[in-house]
Amino acid sequence: MINVLIIENDPIVCKRIVNGILQNVKNVHLCGISYTVKEAIEIAKKQKVDLAILDCDLKNNVSLKFLDFASEYNKTSGKMSVIAMTNNIGNKELDYSCILKVINKPVILEQIINAIREFSNGENVSTQNILKNKILKELEKLQYNFSYVGTQYMAEAIYEIYTKKYIYSGGNLNKNIYPIIAEKHNTTVNNVKCNITSATKTMSEKCPKEIIQSYLFCDENEKPKVKEIMYKVINRL
């Protein structure tokens, strides 16, 4: 979910932007509407703002104060991007790294919607990559061999379980998870399952027993099960 803050002192324009976003963009939470930069900064200090839509033609160049705030915020606290709306598309004062896109006035609503969608897609890809790297690091702790295709399938299966929340509904791997991976790699469900089982068997034979016991909270003679490992990894994400 993207937290969006709108800074626009024209109520008619503001209403048009709000309605356009809510009607056409998914995964958006409108965390604030502000007619002044001072109020916008106070909102951004109290809650996370992913994307601000800023009228850069407010009187006395006060919009620059918000861009200064956003730039400093990105250095110290997090990540905030800005869609800048202006009558002066070539304004050199708008040379800020926090600016995602500059849109010329009069604003065409579709431009804002497309910019938000592009931002959303980028954020989703970034979040997905972070999650996938975390999964790989957990499998590395168990000393899975990453040259095995079964380890790759294992990581992808964990990702699918986590993102689809099958762990909470006791999902059937053969029915809900393995077919997704099989289709992606143009292979069979049985091949996916066998490769994951093989990679896990090799891991259990080569990984020190104390590491397996500590990670899975199992007894020394207990054989690690694929599904159990998947869920243990998910609990650590």
Side-chain angles (χ1 to χ4, degrees), residues 211-219 222 228 232 236:
I211 292 179
I212 296 176
Q213 292 169 35
S214 174
Y215 197 99
L216 301 178
F217 302 106
C218 63
D219 295 331
E222 189 176 347
E228 178 187 4
K232 289 291 184 182
R236 290 170 178 256

Side-chain angles (χ1 to χ4, degrees), residues 4-17 21 32-38 40-41 51-68 81-89 91 93-94 96 99 101-107 112:
V4 175
L5 170 64
I6 299 174
I7 308 129
E8 170 58 68
N9 66 354
D10 185 327
I12 295 176
V13 174
C14 189
K15 181 179 178 181
R16 181 167 164 260
I17 293 173
I21 292 173
I33 298 172
S34 176
Y35 295 144
T36 68
V37 164
K38 182 179 179 181
I41 291 175
L51 183 64
I53 300 173
L54 173 67
D55 183 345
C56 288
D57 298 329
L58 300 177
K59 290 182 179 180
N60 301 320
N61 280 338
V62 293
S63 301
L64 299 182
K65 292 183 179 180
F66 186 84
L67 292 174
D68 288 335
S81 297
V82 178
I83 295 176
M85 303 179 295
T86 181
N87 280 317
N88 187 1
I89 198 73
N91 189 350
E93 290 184 330
L94 298 182
Y96 283 80
I99 293 181
K101 190 177 186 65
V102 178
I103 296 177
N104 201 26
K105 293 180 179 179
V107 172
I112 293 179

Side-chain angles (χ1 to χ4, degrees), residues 131-142 144 154-159 161-162 167 203 215-217 225-237:
L131 175 58
K132 289 176 181 178
N133 286 332
K134 285 182 178 180
I135 292 171
L136 292 177
K137 286 183 179 180
E138 291 301 318
L139 294 180
E140 186 178 10
K141 292 177 184 178
L142 288 169
Y144 268 85
M154 180 81 167
E156 292 180 13
I158 294 170
Y159 176 83
I161 295 170
Y162 184 89
I167 186 171
M203 178 280 294
Y215 197 99
L216 301 178
F217 302 106
K225 298 179 178 63
V226 167
K227 197 169 186 178
E228 178 187 4
I229 295 171
M230 289 179 176
Y231 287 0
K232 289 291 184 182
V233 169
I234 289 170
N235 287 335
R236 290 170 178 256
L237 296 177

Side-chain angles (χ1 to χ4, degrees), residues 38-55:
K38 182 179 179 181
E39 182 185 24
I41 291 175
E42 289 303 312
I43 291 172
K45 285 180 178 178
K46 294 177 181 178
Q47 59 182 307
K48 182 176 181 288
V49 175
D50 300 305
L51 183 64
I53 300 173
L54 173 67
D55 183 345

Side-chain angles (χ1 to χ4, degrees), residues 5-222:
L5 170 64
I6 299 174
I7 308 129
E8 170 58 68
N9 66 354
D10 185 327
I12 295 176
V13 174
C14 189
K15 181 179 178 181
R16 181 167 164 260
I17 293 173
V18 169
N19 288 337
I21 292 173
L22 296 180
Q23 290 171 11
N24 295 282
V25 187
K26 297 178 180 179
N27 278 340
V28 166
H29 170 244
L30 193 60
C31 63
I33 298 172
S34 176
Y35 295 144
T36 68
V37 164
K38 182 179 179 181
E39 182 185 24
I41 291 175
E42 289 303 312
I43 291 172
K45 285 180 178 178
K46 294 177 181 178
Q47 59 182 307
K48 182 176 181 288
V49 175
D50 300 305
L51 183 64
I53 300 173
L54 173 67
D55 183 345
C56 288
D57 298 329
L58 300 177
K59 290 182 179 180
N60 301 320
N61 280 338
V62 293
S63 301
L64 299 182
K65 292 183 179 180
F66 186 84
L67 292 174
D68 288 335
F69 167 80
S71 297
E72 188 61 30
Y73 177 88
N74 288 346
K75 292 178 183 177
T76 59
S77 304
K79 181 182 177 183
M80 183 193 308
S81 297
V82 178
I83 295 176
M85 303 179 295
T86 181
N87 280 317
N88 187 1
I89 198 73
N91 189 350
K92 292 184 178 180
E93 290 184 330
L94 298 182
D95 187 18
Y96 283 80
S97 60
C98 63
I99 293 181
L100 174 72
K101 190 177 186 65
V102 178
I103 296 177
N104 201 26
K105 293 180 179 179
V107 172
I108 298 174
L109 190 58
E110 188 177 354
Q111 290 179 295
I112 293 179
I113 291 170
N114 288 339
I116 297 175
R117 285 173 176 166
E118 289 174 10
F119 177 81
S120 176
N121 290 337
E123 288 294 292
N124 288 339
V125 169
S126 177
T127 302
Q128 290 169 8
N129 288 337
I130 291 172
L131 175 58
K132 289 176 181 178
N133 286 332
K134 285 182 178 180
I135 292 171
L136 292 177
K137 286 183 179 180
E138 291 301 318
L139 294 180
E140 186 178 10
K141 292 177 184 178
L142 288 169
Q143 300 186 17
Y144 268 85
N145 190 326
F146 287 92
S147 66
Y148 292 173
V149 69
T151 301
Q152 178 184 343
Y153 291 165
M154 180 81 167
E156 292 180 13
I158 294 170
Y159 176 83
E160 293 295 336
I161 295 170
Y162 184 89
T163 56
K164 291 179 172 56
K165 297 181 173 57
Y166 282 124
I167 186 171
Y168 304 113
S169 59
N172 186 309
L173 297 180
N174 288 322
K175 180 180 178 181
N176 297 321
I177 302 300
Y178 292 162
I180 297 173
I181 301 168
E183 182 178 1
K184 178 180 176 181
H185 294 279
N186 194 28
T187 186
T188 65
V189 170
N190 187 60
N191 188 46
V192 171
K193 179 179 179 179
C194 289
N195 274 285
I196 290 177
T197 301
S198 177
T200 300
K201 180 181 178 183
T202 301
M203 178 280 294
S204 65
E205 292 172 348
K206 295 188 176 182
C207 182
K209 298 297 182 184
E210 59 271 19
I211 292 179
I212 296 176
Q213 292 169 35
S214 174
Y215 197 99
L216 301 178
F217 302 106
C218 63
D219 295 331
E220 182 178 355
N221 297 321
E222 189 176 347

